[in-house]
Amino acid sequence: MTIPSSLKSAARSALLGTLALGVLGTVAAFAQEAAPAAAAAPAAPAFTVDKGDTTWMMVSTVLVLLMTVPGLALFYGGLVRAKNMLSVLMQVFTITAVVMIIWVTYGYSLAFTPGNAFIGGFSKAFLAGVDVTTVSETFTKGVAIPELVFVVFQMTFAAITPALIVGAFAERIKFSAVILFTILWVTFVYFPIAHMVWFWGGPSAYSDPSGLIFGFGAIDFAGGTVVHINAGMAGLVGAIMIGKRVGYMRDLMAPHSMTLTMVGASLLWVGWFGFNAGSNLEANAYAALAMINTFVATAAAAVTWIVLETLLRGKASMLGAVSGAVAGLVAVTPAAGFAGPMGAIVLGIVVTAICYFFVSVVKNKVGYDDSLDVFGIHCVGGIFGALATGILVNPALGGAGIVDYSTADFAAGYAGVTTQLLAQAKGVLVTLAWSGIGSAILYKVVDMVVGLRITPDAEREGLDLTSHGEAAYHA
């Protein structure tokens, strides 16, 4: 009779467990005889799960989904020409659905299980071992949330990141190429970066091996490196490799609906509270700090872009206002739970000036066609935000400090500007290199398999009809 492999595995586990218990029992018996007066070691504290934390994280998860569909889809859709509106909606919506399936199949396991400094393993592939009884520890020792909640929260991050990329080459890429690239990119770029930045043992196992960038001492509260630098760099590479739109810098390519873009940007701002405040994993004062920073940094950035346009162009635009808001949201993402509110305002002001320069000057000088300024806002803003976080976290500047989970009291401290900036810079450089090189290879693979770009005639007619056989609007 052939014994099923599952039964063999279970039998081996049971045998090993029995032997281990026997050995431990024998050792304990000898220890008791040798030192009868020795006090027993205290038992490890059990994890506590608070319903308030769980509720907050479930709400945050839904808010992040709101950022993507409909938020990002409408934001991008309004910025393209009417003939390509539906194509952008389809790309963002389909990416979201595809990545969710990949995430529960193997993505969560690769990002958040032990492996090496660069990537996790397959121990939780197909969510093996994850059920209603398992938990994920938060940033407080002994406090946890249901693991399924952590799975779906991180799933929304994985879904929105590749969706951000499509803005860089909107209006000229094949739908099949977008989906194939997404599958490859999250596998070989996003999951490793998420593991490098966010994987660690938790407060109860702080000395366990962690991801490479986490090990540098770099801090990224909600995804400045994982999401924005990562996506922005991939977008720039894609825009260059796919090439410019037909008629770029010659034909009018103005947004077809600033109304929808404003609605999308507003939904992004609302959803970003789940992104930033939710990344605290608990409903406490640090979540409140991330929330107020997400308010004020975004407001300061929007106002700054409006002022810049008024001074430099004579008129303030709706496009400028929402561009500034997104730049502020991007920059405050890594700093949300670390900077103080006044520092967040300064962050919003400065990042707007930098992003405005890249969008208005650098892109035109260099000549790359980043359709919706994914690189100029997400990558550039993410880089500045990641580096500025290393400064603004300083308690002397109103920051929250860096919690040292290896100490008994988890006291907040600050190693100094030079030390923290170096750690932040190393994290930024690794992300840029991994995303840039990895994305270039994957674009080439996709081009060889299905081709990246639609034909010039199809591009002139619009992707809505040529790629999807329907239109966003009917006369």
Side-chain angles (χ1 to χ4, degrees):
M1 181 179 67
T2 302
I3 301 174
S5 58
S6 59
L7 291 180
K8 290 180 180 179
S9 177
R12 283 196 297 268
S13 299
L15 178 59
L16 290 173
T18 302
L19 290 173
L21 286 172
V23 171
L24 290 173
T26 303
V27 172
F30 277 113
Q32 192 173 27
E33 287 182 10
F47 288 122
T48 59
V49 178
D50 182 83
K51 289 183 179 179
D53 293 336
T54 302
T55 302
W56 167 238
M57 292 309 301
M58 293 172 74
V59 170
S60 294
T61 299
V62 175
L63 286 172
V64 181
L65 177 62
L66 180 75
M67 289 175 66
T68 316
V69 287
L72 181 66
L74 291 177
F75 178 68
Y76 277 176
L79 289 172
V80 299
R81 289 168 287 181
K83 63 184 179 180
N84 296 312
M85 168 64 164
L86 191 74
S87 69
V88 172
L89 299 181
M90 270 293 292
Q91 288 169 15
V92 174
F93 193 91
T94 307
I95 285 171
T96 302
V98 168
V99 173
M100 286 179 178
I101 301 301
I102 296 173
W103 181 253
V104 297
T105 304
Y106 61 86
Y108 174 67
S109 187
L110 289 180
F112 289 104
T113 65
N116 54 50
F118 298 93
I119 192 68
F122 289 99
S123 61
K124 292 187 178 181
F126 299 96
L127 298 187
V130 179
D131 56 34
V132 295
T133 67
T134 57
V135 297
S136 293
E137 193 172 22
T138 67
F139 297 102
T140 302
K141 190 171 184 178
V143 176
I145 57 175
E147 189 172 10
L148 286 170
V149 173
F150 184 72
V151 170
V152 294
F153 179 66
Q154 286 294 338
M155 180 174 71
T156 58
F157 279 66
I160 194 173
T161 306
L164 289 170
I165 300 173
V166 303
F169 41 70
E171 303 193 295
R172 60 196 188 274
I173 192 170
K174 290 182 179 179
F175 181 68
S176 58
V178 170
I179 303 309
L180 179 56
F181 176 76
T182 295
I183 294 169
L184 295 173
W185 190 82
V186 294
T187 302
F188 294 104
V189 178
Y190 181 83
F191 299 153
I193 291 293
H195 181 84
M196 286 187 241
V197 175
W198 283 333
F199 180 75
W200 62 307
S204 295
Y206 186 76
S207 60
D208 285 2
S210 64
L212 179 71
I213 295 175
F214 188 94
F216 292 159
I219 52 176
D220 182 357
F221 194 80
T225 49
V226 180
V227 177
H228 299 291
I229 298 175
N230 203 5
M233 190 63 195
L236 175 65
V237 174
I240 293 172
M241 293 185 67
I242 295 170
K244 302 174 185 177
R245 286 168 288 180
V246 173
Y248 180 66
M249 299 295 285
R250 186 182 70 246
D251 299 341
L252 179 64
M253 296 183 177
H256 89 279
S257 177
M258 280 310 305
T259 302
L260 290 177
T261 292
M262 187 272 175
V263 171
S266 301
L267 289 169
L268 279 170
W269 194 352
V270 172
W272 222 291
F273 291 105
F275 208 73
N276 285 356
S279 290
N280 187 61
L281 302 183
E282 299 175 55
N284 60 22
Y286 283 96
L289 177 63
M291 177 170 280
I292 191 172
N293 285 341
T294 305
F295 271 114
V296 298
T298 310
V303 170
T304 302
W305 201 296
I306 290 169
V307 170
L308 284 173
E309 282 194 331
T310 302
L311 294 176
L312 299 175
R313 297 176 52 207
K315 293 180 181 179
S317 70
M318 186 75 251
L319 176 59
V322 297
S323 296
V326 174
L329 287 165
V330 168
V332 80
T333 294
F338 297 120
M342 298 304 108
I345 292 174
V346 173
L347 182 71
I349 293 171
V350 178
V351 74
T352 299
I354 296 172
C355 289
Y356 185 92
F357 176 73
F358 269 84
V359 168
S360 302
V361 178
V362 174
K363 184 172 76 167
N364 293 330
K365 289 288 185 181
V366 178
Y368 58 88
D369 183 11
D370 178 3
S371 305
L372 309 181
D373 295 314
V374 176
F375 175 75
I377 291 180
H378 289 276
C379 190
V380 173
I383 291 171
F384 175 75
L387 296 175
T389 299
I391 300 172
L392 296 177
V393 68
N394 188 349
L397 298 176
I402 300 172
V403 176
D404 183 2
Y405 297 101
S406 64
T407 65
D409 57 0
F410 309 117
Y414 185 64
V417 173
T418 302
T419 300
Q420 195 58 46
L421 268 183
L422 179 61
Q424 299 299 108
K426 288 165 68 177
V428 167
L429 290 175
V430 169
T431 304
L432 288 171
W434 192 281
S435 181
I437 297 171
S439 298
I441 294 170
L442 297 179
Y443 281 120
K444 187 63 178 177
V445 171
V446 172
D447 195 27
M448 293 171 63
V449 176
V450 298
L452 284 170
R453 186 158 184 163
I454 60 174
T455 66
D457 287 342
E459 185 176 340
R460 291 188 184 96
E461 185 176 353
L463 275 69
D464 287 6
L465 292 175
T466 58
S467 295
H468 304 290
E470 56 184 351
Y473 308 104
H474 297 280

